[in-house]
Amino acid sequence: MQKKWYQSAYCRNVIDMHITDWDEKFLSEFDSEKYVEMLQLSQAESAVVYAHSHVGLCNYPTKVGEMHKGLKGRNILKEVIDLCHQKGIKVVVYYSLIFNDWTYNHFPDWRIITADGKEAAENSRYGVCCPNSPYRDFVVEQIKEICNNYEFEGIRFDMTFWPEVCYCSSCQKRYSEEVGGELPRVVNWEDPKWVTFQRKREEWLIDFAALATSTVKKIKPDVSVEHQSSTYTASWRWGVTVGLSKESDFLQGDFYGNALQGSFVCKLLYNLTENKPFGFETSSNVNLKDHTTLKPKELLEAKAFSALVNGGAFIFIDAIDPVGTLNKRVYSTMGEIYRKIKEYEKYLGGQFCQDVAIYFSTESKFDPEYSGENVIKGRSNILEISDKIPHLDATLSVAKSFINHHIPFGVVTKKNIRELSQYQVLVLPNVLMMDEEEVEAIKNYVKSGGSLYASKYTSLITKGGIRKDNFLLADVFGISYLGETKENFTYISPTEEGKDVFLDYTPKYPLSIYGSQLKIEVKKDTNVLGKIVLPYTDPKDIRRYASIHSNPPGIWTDYPAVVLNRYGKGKVIYVAGDLENVEYHHKIFINLIRLLSRSPFVFESDAPKSVEITAFHQTDKKRYIVNLLNFQEELPNIPINEIKVRIRLGNKRVKRFIILPDERELSYECREDYAEFTAPRLETFLMLALEYE
């Protein structure tokens, strides 16, 4: 079977082209040949080419919308497509969904309306249109126009999310028809009416994405379709869930955070995408607001290799100058980086080694403390929504602990719920909502021998917004739910049975939890490793306290805080608070994970925390590909020497160890089930191959 374009294009480009036309100079200097010359200079194997942008103006003659005036009738979409194809560059056409200034301004009835009756773009540059309005028909016609008139390899639909909770007449009409009644305006995650509305928002978004995808596929069935994928970790307001991923042939999204965010989302997209590789993209400039300040080359290189070590392609985003020119410095810098990337492309692929899985729930992206507030309270700028998400915070904290302790891990979602048996340990970090399908799959996983770590609210509230009298996984945890501490700063005191796990913490000086804990009781066969300790007084009491600055432990209870239970052939640890979310306690969390593991992990290392290690098993070539990425907070990196790594082989016999891409042999030793080696000097990236017989 012939490969799809995205299966071999690991070096990609996007040139943002959201340019208005109120000034006749805008795009007047656009030169298609120079544009493609820059792509060649960067070594890009594919390019996202704008047919249409957030501004809503088209870069081709259109009968549906309006063409950019600065082009004076020139069809630069066709010009660039033809030139890219002549140079062997694959083309992905860009189309902006929901964000469309032109339609927003021309069709007021299509606008997203906020809960207070205001237009969503009242204080924003971004005109946003409701996917439930007649805007749907306009989008379909414009997609048809593009697909029927141009040849390209893929199409990217950007901004497939709800920028606001919409209360327009179209949303009210659809809600009335499908549910009945008025749209709810109070956020309450334990109110089925509110939660039903949220599930409808998620469903409607998927429906709109499916409309766009199917319109393309009917005309060009072999063209790839992708919807913006940076929003899977975004707040509930955006309405993005796992179900949206099925409308993309592969996932690709832009991210602007630190090394931890990059590693986490890469692993999330790796397991969530329908086809591989996924794409990880970021701006070549320091941020999207800064048009001229280029990120240091060392940072761009580290981010590019971060995508590579997690099995993904890298995409850099540049922004065109309003007049239509490009900064050559950006493309020459990326050319140097992409030339390095291309040296490793032939070694990519295989099965990502993931001994431990972090479960990420796209229906749990909310703050339970926000319940009872009106939707309009806390409204943020469209692009600056930063609602607190305790579940995401916990998953990121778990990921950081695994990276720092060099534990092979992945990030899974409900999409992977039937594939859990491949993981030694499954981590459920404060999963705020679950459904019966997830519960049943997890029960079967543990019953069959899997190990489970779960914390706090996990399985207590359904995805319909109903708080149960007991955990849906109560029999798996070996406990029953009783309530919750009113204190929002608590402690865990180790029992005699759990003292080895808790390192230097003792009953007198217990481990701190930066939040409340759930009160539980255990079943007779469940082992208690730690118990809840409360401060002398409620931390919220400003008049009565023991110590004016802190809330020292003062009340020792019999409520279990950490329990170990056996269920079927598997083991389970439940923690009544989100211990995994406290970075200072990561060593203790890792102790609990190691207590659950059935066998040694696929690799071990003494590398410092700034080094992330990943491995891919290529069974067809009888080898492991081992990646080491040095991504320090302050760049350029300080090189690291003498990193020791062990790879578990079982009964396999080592043929040779080589450093890639030069394929120089590296010395090693075999001890028990492991092949051990000392990595050469690590500056930013090393790839090695362990070949076996």
Side-chain angles (χ1 to χ4, degrees), residues 382-450:
I382 286 174
L383 291 183
E384 296 177 354
I385 294 173
S386 57
D387 295 350
K388 182 181 176 184
I389 310 174
H391 171 57
L392 177 60
D393 292 343
T395 57
L396 285 168
S397 184
V398 171
K400 185 173 186 178
S401 70
F402 289 160
I403 293 169
N404 291 348
H405 291 84
H406 309 297
I407 290 178
F409 78 100
V411 180
V412 299
T413 63
K414 190 175 179 180
K415 177 179 183 288
N416 316 106
I417 201 70
R418 301 299 170 190
E419 305 160 6
L420 299 179
S421 60
Q422 65 184 289
Y423 304 102
Q424 281 201 54
V425 183
L426 176 65
V427 180
L428 304 179
N430 198 13
V431 181
L432 299 177
M433 285 185 170
M434 297 188 77
D435 61 27
E436 289 292 346
E437 183 183 5
E438 290 169 309
V439 168
E440 193 61 32
I442 291 167
K443 282 185 177 181
N444 291 334
Y445 163 75
V446 179
K447 192 180 294 183
S448 300

Side-chain angles (χ1 to χ4, degrees), residues 623-642:
R623 70 184 181 191
Y624 286 92
I625 297 296
V626 183
N627 303 298
L628 285 79
L629 176 69
N630 184 18
F631 199 155
Q632 297 172 13
E633 289 187 14
E634 295 292 332
L635 295 170
N637 287 318
I638 298 171
I640 302 171
N641 296 299
E642 304 294 314

